[in-house]
Amino acid sequence: MNSELTMPTKISFKSNRVMVNGEVVRTAIFGRFMVAEVQSELTEKYYLIFYKNALIYGDQIEKVQKGSFIDKVLNEGIALDQKHPLLPVLIPATALTIPAKNKLFNHLQRHYSLLEIPCIAAALDSFFPPEQLTKFIENIFFDYRRNGSFSKAYQSIRLLSDLSPSLEKLSDLLHSREYSSYSNFYTTSSLPAIQKKDPLFAEFQCFMKRKTNEHFHMLEKILKKEERYAEWLLVWMDDKGNLTSESVKSQTELALKYIPLENWILVLSYAEINPYKWVPEARTFIEGLMKDGQYEKAALYLFPFIEDLPKEFHLFLNEIWKQVDAGFVTSHLDEFLLLHQKVAQVHDPRQSEQRILQLTAKLMEGHDLKVVCEKLRPIQKNFPHSITIRKINEMAALTENPDRMMELGQFYADFNQYDQAIECFYWEMELKPADPGPVRQLCKMYQQKGMVNEASAYQQIYTQLRSDQETG
């Protein structure tokens, strides 16, 4: 996907009564959680924890500890870099407020069920000492137990060792014989039965085992039922085995209900799914850009799949080649080299030659002649009679012949490569100090570069040499 079509995802939040503005550097989802790494305008690094799209907590962290919940999510979750086109859908656009640390547990008890709170608390192991989290979770566990709710007591901490290894010792509470029947339920029951009994545990299991068919389809049902469509699309794209034409069509119908077509094309491109093969609306979108004269934007959308575009898109490529300016062509050389291979413009040889000249001149700014020849070789197949390519091939041959530096310098001058031309003419002048020809060319090159003093100096030398020739 072309990074020119995406913008950084901004985020604002209040932390300790101070408003922080920053950019999301990377994000990862893991079950009901999302972790966002944010770099503030002051280059501070924050980590924010979200649960079902709601901000739970966050703070500055210099280095993520290995084995922490954040580390687990970033390494085992579905990761998104800062250019991912779904980030703006996942990250809230409105300013957020990080709850006060000393009031956070009270905040959790007001907004979440007692079965969810231990799971959420386990995600905070980078911000609170394990002892504090353990005590808080144990209070919920023993409260259930005192009330005779052994099943819920078991549920409240069954998942914790999978989320935070630092809280693994809490699992020791479940080793008592009185919980064996509940343990057997999780190991012997079907996934639908577990989901009905313990939807929180089932969802995390489905996420962690999403590569299997049963867990994948169960997770799909859960996320769609809760309208967590962005998360579902990330799960779908995470497994390339799901990316059939029918599947792409189905997910496109879903995505276009809440994502603009332009963004959905970017999402598919990011996942290396060719939208121009499987999404008919993509062609309509490109046609619209072309009609509006947005040829460069259309090109940026097509570039990632330029080697795999349906034939009907070749007309678009031809029109883009005609309409975009030289600066855009030269700033996207590799793509236009590929474009040349796909589209032969035999109907307008003059325009083709002009574009080849532009490409060649830009290539010469950053590569030696041998590399330029190699890069132009695919184009030469489509344009075997190109004057520009013929010149380049001749130049490459001349570099091995020090007696023909004058010719090589003239070629460089034809391509406006004045510094290289000056080197050739200077070499020739050194070899033939009485010859006014190379001196005259040096004068011209410095004139082209706008270096008046140097041009004037060589003009005087040229005049003197001509005078010497005339007087014998």
Coordinates of all heavy atoms in Angstrom, one line a residue, residues 395-434:
M395 N 26.3 5.5 -24.6 CA 27.1 6.1 -23.5 C 27.8 5.1 -22.6 O 29.0 5.2 -22.2 CB 26.2 7.0 -22.6 CG 25.7 8.2 -23.3 SD 24.4 9.1 -22.4 CE 25.4 9.7 -21.0
A396 N 27.1 4.0 -22.3 CA 27.6 2.9 -21.5 C 28.9 2.4 -22.1 O 29.9 2.0 -21.4 CB 26.6 1.9 -21.2
A397 N 28.8 2.2 -23.4 CA 30.0 1.7 -24.2 C 31.1 2.7 -24.2 O 32.3 2.3 -24.1 CB 29.6 1.4 -25.6
L398 N 30.8 4.0 -24.2 CA 31.9 5.0 -24.3 C 32.6 5.1 -23.0 O 33.8 5.6 -23.0 CB 31.3 6.4 -24.6 CG 30.8 6.5 -26.1 CD1 30.1 7.9 -26.3 CD2 31.9 6.4 -27.1
T399 N 32.0 4.8 -21.9 CA 32.7 4.9 -20.6 C 34.0 4.1 -20.5 O 34.9 4.4 -19.7 CB 31.8 4.5 -19.4 OG1 31.3 3.1 -19.6 CG2 30.6 5.4 -19.3
E400 N 34.1 3.1 -21.3 CA 35.3 2.2 -21.3 C 36.4 2.8 -22.3 O 37.4 2.2 -22.4 CB 34.9 0.8 -21.8 CG 33.8 0.2 -20.9 CD 34.2 0.0 -19.4 OE1 35.4 -0.2 -19.2 OE2 33.4 0.2 -18.6
N401 N 36.1 3.9 -23.0 CA 37.0 4.4 -24.0 C 37.4 5.8 -23.6 O 36.7 6.8 -23.9 CB 36.4 4.4 -25.3 CG 37.4 4.7 -26.5 OD1 38.4 5.2 -26.2 ND2 37.0 4.3 -27.7
P402 N 38.6 6.0 -23.0 CA 39.0 7.4 -22.5 C 39.3 8.3 -23.7 O 39.3 9.5 -23.5 CB 40.3 7.1 -21.7 CG 40.7 5.8 -22.2 CD 39.5 5.0 -22.6
D403 N 39.4 7.8 -24.9 CA 39.7 8.6 -26.1 C 38.4 9.2 -26.6 O 38.5 10.1 -27.6 CB 40.4 7.8 -27.2 CG 41.8 7.3 -26.8 OD1 42.4 8.1 -26.0 OD2 42.2 6.3 -27.2
R404 N 37.3 8.9 -26.1 CA 36.0 9.4 -26.6 C 35.2 10.1 -25.6 O 34.0 10.1 -25.6 CB 35.2 8.3 -27.2 CG 35.9 7.5 -28.4 CD 35.1 6.4 -28.9 NE 33.9 6.9 -29.6 CZ 33.0 6.0 -30.1 NH1 33.2 4.7 -30.0 NH2 31.9 6.5 -30.7
M405 N 35.9 10.8 -24.7 CA 35.2 11.6 -23.6 C 34.4 12.8 -24.2 O 33.5 13.2 -23.6 CB 36.3 12.1 -22.6 CG 36.8 11.0 -21.7 SD 35.6 10.2 -20.6 CE 35.3 8.6 -21.5
M406 N 34.9 13.3 -25.3 CA 34.2 14.4 -25.9 C 32.7 14.0 -26.3 O 31.8 14.7 -26.0 CB 34.9 14.9 -27.1 CG 34.4 16.3 -27.6 SD 34.9 17.6 -26.4 CE 34.3 19.0 -27.4
E407 N 32.6 12.8 -26.9 CA 31.3 12.3 -27.3 C 30.5 12.0 -26.1 O 29.3 12.3 -26.0 CB 31.5 11.0 -28.1 CG 32.0 11.2 -29.5 CD 32.1 9.8 -30.2 OE1 31.0 9.2 -30.5 OE2 33.2 9.4 -30.4
L408 N 31.1 11.4 -25.1 CA 30.3 11.1 -23.8 C 29.8 12.3 -23.2 O 28.7 12.4 -22.7 CB 31.2 10.3 -22.9 CG 30.5 9.8 -21.6 CD1 29.3 8.9 -21.9 CD2 31.6 9.0 -20.7
G409 N 30.6 13.4 -23.2 CA 30.2 14.6 -22.6 C 29.0 15.2 -23.3 O 28.1 15.8 -22.7
Q410 N 29.0 15.1 -24.6 CA 27.9 15.7 -25.4 C 26.6 14.9 -25.1 O 25.6 15.5 -25.0 CB 28.2 15.5 -26.9 CG 29.3 16.4 -27.4 CD 29.0 17.9 -27.5 OE1 27.9 18.3 -27.1 NE2 29.9 18.7 -28.0
F411 N 26.7 13.6 -24.9 CA 25.6 12.8 -24.5 C 25.0 13.3 -23.2 O 23.8 13.5 -23.0 CB 25.9 11.3 -24.5 CG 25.9 10.6 -25.8 CD1 26.9 9.9 -26.2 CD2 24.7 10.7 -26.6 CE1 26.9 9.2 -27.5 CE2 24.7 10.1 -27.8 CZ 25.8 9.3 -28.3
Y412 N 25.9 13.4 -22.2 CA 25.5 13.9 -20.9 C 24.8 15.2 -21.0 O 23.8 15.5 -20.3 CB 26.7 14.0 -19.9 CG 27.1 12.7 -19.2 CD1 28.3 12.1 -19.3 CD2 26.1 12.1 -18.4 CE1 28.6 10.9 -18.7 CE2 26.4 10.9 -17.7 CZ 27.7 10.3 -17.9 OH 28.0 9.2 -17.2
A413 N 25.4 16.1 -21.8 CA 24.8 17.4 -22.0 C 23.3 17.3 -22.6 O 22.4 18.1 -22.2 CB 25.6 18.3 -22.9
D414 N 23.1 16.4 -23.5 CA 21.8 16.1 -24.0 C 20.8 15.8 -23.0 O 19.6 16.1 -23.1 CB 21.8 15.0 -25.1 CG 22.6 15.5 -26.4 OD1 22.8 16.7 -26.5 OD2 23.0 14.6 -27.1
F415 N 21.2 15.1 -21.9 CA 20.4 14.7 -20.8 C 20.4 15.7 -19.7 O 19.8 15.4 -18.6 CB 20.8 13.3 -20.3 CG 20.4 12.2 -21.2 CD1 21.4 11.6 -21.9 CD2 19.1 11.8 -21.3 CE1 21.1 10.5 -22.8 CE2 18.8 10.7 -22.2 CZ 19.8 10.1 -22.9
N416 N 21.0 16.9 -19.9 CA 21.1 17.9 -18.9 C 21.8 17.5 -17.6 O 21.6 18.0 -16.5 CB 19.7 18.4 -18.5 CG 18.9 19.0 -19.6 OD1 19.5 19.6 -20.6 ND2 17.6 18.8 -19.6
Q417 N 22.7 16.6 -17.8 CA 23.6 16.1 -16.7 C 24.9 16.9 -16.8 O 25.9 16.3 -17.2 CB 23.8 14.6 -16.8 CG 22.5 13.8 -16.9 CD 21.6 13.9 -15.6 OE1 22.1 13.7 -14.5 NE2 20.4 14.2 -15.8
Y418 N 24.8 18.1 -16.4 CA 25.9 19.0 -16.6 C 27.2 18.7 -15.8 O 28.3 18.9 -16.3 CB 25.5 20.5 -16.4 CG 24.3 20.9 -17.2 CD1 23.1 21.3 -16.6 CD2 24.4 20.8 -18.6 CE1 22.0 21.6 -17.4 CE2 23.3 21.1 -19.4 CZ 22.1 21.6 -18.8 OH 21.0 21.9 -19.5
D419 N 27.1 18.2 -14.6 CA 28.3 17.9 -13.8 C 29.1 16.8 -14.5 O 30.3 16.9 -14.6 CB 27.9 17.5 -12.4 CG 27.4 18.7 -11.6 OD1 27.8 19.9 -11.9 OD2 26.6 18.5 -10.7
Q420 N 28.3 15.7 -14.9 CA 29.0 14.6 -15.6 C 29.7 15.1 -16.9 O 30.8 14.7 -17.3 CB 28.1 13.5 -15.8 CG 27.6 12.8 -14.6 CD 26.3 13.3 -14.1 OE1 26.0 14.6 -14.2 NE2 25.4 12.5 -13.6
A421 N 28.9 16.0 -17.6 CA 29.5 16.5 -18.9 C 30.7 17.3 -18.6 O 31.7 17.2 -19.4 CB 28.4 17.4 -19.6
I422 N 30.7 18.1 -17.6 CA 31.9 18.9 -17.2 C 33.1 18.0 -17.0 O 34.3 18.3 -17.4 CB 31.6 19.8 -16.0 CG1 30.7 20.9 -16.5 CG2 32.9 20.3 -15.4 CD1 30.2 21.8 -15.3
E423 N 32.9 16.9 -16.3 CA 34.0 15.9 -16.0 C 34.6 15.4 -17.3 O 35.8 15.3 -17.5 CB 33.5 14.8 -15.2 CG 33.2 15.1 -13.7 CD 32.8 13.9 -12.9 OE1 33.1 12.8 -13.3 OE2 32.2 14.1 -11.8
C424 N 33.7 15.1 -18.3 CA 34.2 14.5 -19.5 C 35.0 15.6 -20.3 O 36.1 15.3 -20.9 CB 33.0 14.0 -20.4 SG 32.2 12.6 -19.7
F425 N 34.4 16.8 -20.4 CA 35.1 17.9 -21.2 C 36.4 18.3 -20.5 O 37.4 18.6 -21.2 CB 34.1 19.1 -21.3 CG 32.9 18.8 -22.2 CD1 31.7 19.2 -21.8 CD2 33.0 18.0 -23.3 CE1 30.5 19.0 -22.5 CE2 31.9 17.7 -24.1 CZ 30.6 18.2 -23.7
Y426 N 36.4 18.3 -19.2 CA 37.7 18.6 -18.5 C 38.8 17.6 -18.8 O 39.9 17.9 -19.0 CB 37.4 18.7 -17.0 CG 38.6 19.3 -16.3 CD1 38.8 20.7 -16.2 CD2 39.5 18.4 -15.6 CE1 39.9 21.2 -15.5 CE2 40.6 19.0 -14.9 CZ 40.8 20.4 -14.9 OH 41.8 20.9 -14.2
W427 N 38.3 16.3 -18.8 CA 39.3 15.2 -19.1 C 39.8 15.4 -20.5 O 41.0 15.3 -20.8 CB 38.5 13.9 -19.1 CG 39.3 12.7 -19.5 CD1 39.6 12.3 -20.8 CD2 40.0 11.7 -18.7 NE1 40.3 11.1 -20.8 CE2 40.6 10.7 -19.5 CE3 40.1 11.5 -17.3 CZ2 41.3 9.7 -19.0 CZ3 40.8 10.5 -16.8 CH2 41.4 9.5 -17.7
E428 N 38.9 15.8 -21.5 CA 39.4 16.0 -22.9 C 40.3 17.2 -23.0 O 41.3 17.2 -23.7 CB 38.1 16.2 -23.7 CG 38.4 16.2 -25.2 CD 38.6 14.8 -25.8 OE1 38.5 13.8 -25.1 OE2 39.0 14.8 -27.0
M429 N 40.0 18.2 -22.2 CA 40.8 19.4 -22.2 C 42.2 19.1 -21.7 O 43.2 19.6 -22.2 CB 40.2 20.5 -21.3 CG 41.0 21.8 -21.4 SD 40.3 23.1 -20.2 CE 40.7 22.4 -18.6
E430 N 42.3 18.3 -20.7 CA 43.6 17.9 -20.1 C 44.4 17.1 -21.2 O 45.7 17.2 -21.3 CB 43.4 17.0 -18.9 CG 42.9 17.8 -17.7 CD 43.9 18.7 -17.1 OE1 45.0 18.2 -16.7 OE2 43.7 19.9 -17.0
L431 N 43.7 16.2 -21.9 CA 44.4 15.4 -22.9 C 44.9 16.3 -24.1 O 45.9 16.0 -24.7 CB 43.5 14.3 -23.4 CG 43.3 13.1 -22.5 CD1 42.3 12.1 -23.1 CD2 44.6 12.4 -22.1
K432 N 44.0 17.3 -24.5 CA 44.3 18.1 -25.6 C 44.3 19.6 -25.2 O 43.3 20.3 -25.5 CB 43.3 17.8 -26.7 CG 43.3 16.4 -27.2 CD 42.2 16.1 -28.2 CE 42.1 14.6 -28.5 NZ 41.0 14.3 -29.5
P433 N 45.3 20.1 -24.5 CA 45.2 21.4 -24.0 C 45.2 22.5 -25.1 O 44.8 23.7 -24.8 CB 46.5 21.5 -23.2 CG 47.4 20.5 -23.7 CD 46.5 19.4 -24.2
A434 N 45.6 22.2 -26.3 CA 45.5 23.3 -27.4 C 44.2 23.3 -28.1 O 44.0 24.1 -29.0 CB 46.7 23.0 -28.3

